[in-house]
Amino acid sequence: MLNTLIIGGAGYTGQELCKLVTTHPQLKLTHVFASAGSKNAGEPLPLGITGQIQDGHPDAIMAAAHDAQVILLATPHEASAALVPQLREHSDALIVDLSGGFRLEAGAYPQWYGFEHPAKELLAKAVYGLVGWNDKAIKGSKLIAAPGCYPTATLLALKPVMEAGLLAGLPIVNAVSGVSGAGKSNKPHTQFCEVSLAPYGVLGHRHQPEIAQHLGHDLVFTPHLGAFDRGILATITVPVKAGTTQAQVDALYQQCYGQHPSVHLSGDLRRQAPAIKNVANTPYAQIGWALDEARNLLVLASAIDNLLKGAASQAIECINTHFDFKLRPLPGYGWEAL
Ligand SMILES: NC(=O)C1=CN([C@@H]2O[C@H](COP(=O)(O)OP(=O)(O)OC[C@H]3O[C@@H](n4cnc5c(N)ncnc54)[C@H](OP(=O)(O)O)[C@@H]3O)[C@@H](O)[C@H]2O)C=CC1
Ligand SMILES: CC(=O)N[C@@H](CCC(=O)OP(=O)(O)O)C(=O)O
């Protein structure tokens, strides 16, 4: 069993990590930290898990890190960027960071995250944890940046088209997220009476450069906030090469995801569409597509739970890939042998 500690454990994704680690056959949850001086210290872990959230004083975190084989960070971007180099000084553990602190090239941080990256050497060694597409790098690195929620939904849908060389123009991504995507802390725009389906971050959301960097192609990305708690639905319009056929696209998605442990295909969107109700509270992505052969336009739809496949369960899948644990996530937080 690998000693596993979670930092940021009182937050939305941190709580999901607690459940996913506790039910994992190869991981032992040893410590769950909030921030230093947190009012959440002493609170119980999620229902059914014995233990308490601990105060995240740096000395306590570093002492625990010394004996850990796996460290999960569910902390804000800048906190992760500062914590990872300290953790690395004290521990040789596999670090999986759920924040955006290690996803982009160093030069992008001032513009998109508002800070100069404090650990450029480590950033250069970090690998992007898009499971199923970057597995060799995930196996070979001890610092994994779990992808953002919108990038997960978008990249899982777009990667097959991009890698098959069918992309012939700018993909247009419209995505709707539930409010838990903004985290647990109180923000004026996420209050109950304020949320009403609307776009935000138009032409300026930090997930645009993340998706573009890891897709290898520019795109237009427009997120929307919806009045529901969890889940993301991304609908993507993609110009494709002339002559692409629906049968070719069907075969492509089957080939990429037919055997995938956490990506499910719903097929032709004109018959059945992915939906948030199918994936909310599950570790799965659901992807569908429809091709207009006359106009060479492909429409993709991708649904995930932002806190699970878009964050916590994909982070655990990164651990499974790194250590070659052959496990598939079950609905309801369990894991079964592949
Ligand atoms: N919500 C989502 O859908 C997704 C979130 N992410 C990313 O994952 C990370 C966590 O997100 P989420 O769970 O939503 O966030 P929350 O705001 O719900 O929780 C953040 C947690 O981080 C802790 N924290 C804050 N600062 C520090 C620090 N300096 N040292 C240690 N702990 C600290 C907080 O502690 P305390 O409890 O004491 O306040 C809290 O437990 C973020 O980087 C986010 O961008 C990624 C994908 C999806
Ligand atoms: C609804 C909402 O506010 N969502 C968040 C994205 C959360 C997420 O995936 O990602 P990061 O780890 O990249 O922060 C946002 O738009 O900033």
Side-chain angles (χ1 to χ4, degrees):
M1 299 286 271
L2 304 179
N3 289 342
T4 302
L5 76 87
I6 297 171
I7 309 173
Y12 282 156
T13 60
Q15 293 276 294
E16 297 293 30
L17 285 173
C18 290
K19 298 176 219 169
L20 291 161
V21 170
T22 307
T23 54
H24 194 288
Q26 305 288 347
L27 303 178
K28 182 180 173 206
L29 185 62
T30 54
H31 298 274
V32 179
F33 290 105
S35 60
S38 175
K39 63 176 174 17
N40 293 316
E43 289 293 314
L45 296 181
L47 204 59
I49 306 176
T50 308
Q52 288 183 341
I53 294 170
Q54 295 173 246
D55 185 287
H57 188 283
D59 292 347
I61 292 182
M62 297 312 150
H66 193 264
D67 297 323
Q69 283 90 49
V70 176
I71 300 174
L72 287 153
L73 289 121
T75 41
H77 317 296
E78 201 166 356
S80 285
L83 270 166
V84 167
Q86 297 170 48
L87 289 164
R88 190 44 87 221
E89 273 180 32
H90 291 83
S91 173
D92 190 33
L94 172 68
I95 299 176
V96 184
D97 177 28
L98 276 65
S99 87
F102 286 86
R103 295 184 198 143
L104 299 183
E105 287 158 2
Y109 277 88
Q111 179 184 355
W112 294 103
Y113 283 87
F115 63 87
E116 189 68 40
H117 204 284
K120 295 194 177 69
E121 275 182 32
L122 280 172
L123 176 61
K125 290 185 191 157
V127 302
Y128 196 62
L130 190 69
V131 173
W133 291 99
N134 212 19
D135 292 5
K136 197 170 165 213
I138 294 169
K139 282 181 206 295
S141 176
K142 288 205 144 186
L143 176 55
I144 299 169
C149 49
Y150 290 118
T152 298
T154 304
L155 287 166
L156 287 176
L158 272 175
K159 274 279 193 184
V161 186
M162 178 69 193
E163 298 300 314
L166 295 179
L167 200 60
L170 210 59
I172 309 290
V173 183
N174 286 299
V176 188
S177 171
V179 183
S180 61
K184 191 176 175 182
S185 65
N186 207 7
K187 300 171 185 92
H189 74 282
T190 60
Q191 286 180 20
F192 183 76
C193 291
E194 298 299 325
V195 180
S196 176
L197 182 58
Y200 69 100
V202 176
L203 298 175
H205 195 281
R206 65 184 186 287
H207 285 170
Q208 191 277 337
E210 180 180 331
I211 300 167
Q213 182 178 319
H214 297 287
L215 181 65
H217 199 285
D218 195 11
L219 72 156
V220 179
F221 168 66
T222 311
H224 300 67
L225 189 64
F228 51 96
D229 60 352
R230 56 199 291 166
I232 286 182
L233 179 70
T235 306
I236 309 170
T237 307
V238 193
V240 290
K241 285 204 169 136
T244 304
T245 64
Q246 176 81 27
Q248 190 182 355
V249 177
D250 291 350
L252 177 61
Y253 279 84
Q254 283 299 339
Q255 182 200 325
C256 291
Y257 294 126
Q259 305 300 319
H260 197 287
S262 60
V263 179
H264 297 283
L265 301 176
S266 58
D268 192 323
L269 289 172
R270 290 162 288 207
R271 283 199 305 272
Q272 191 191 172
I276 284 174
K277 71 172 182 182
N278 299 339
V279 296
N281 297 293
T282 84
Y284 308 126
Q286 189 181 32
I287 295 175
W289 58 91
L291 181 70
D292 182 334
E293 291 187 358
R295 291 194 293 166
N296 303 311
L297 280 176
L298 178 66
V299 179
L300 303 168
S302 174
I304 60 167
D305 183 309
N306 53 297
L307 298 177
L308 290 170
K309 185 64 176 168
S313 65
Q314 181 160 233
I316 308 293
E317 288 185 284
C318 287
I319 298 170
N320 292 341
T321 304
H322 179 84
F323 289 108
D324 206 19
F325 298 147
K326 299 201 182 314
L327 295 167
R328 152 169 63 213
L330 291 167
Y333 303 102
W335 301 89
E336 74 173 4
L338 267 174

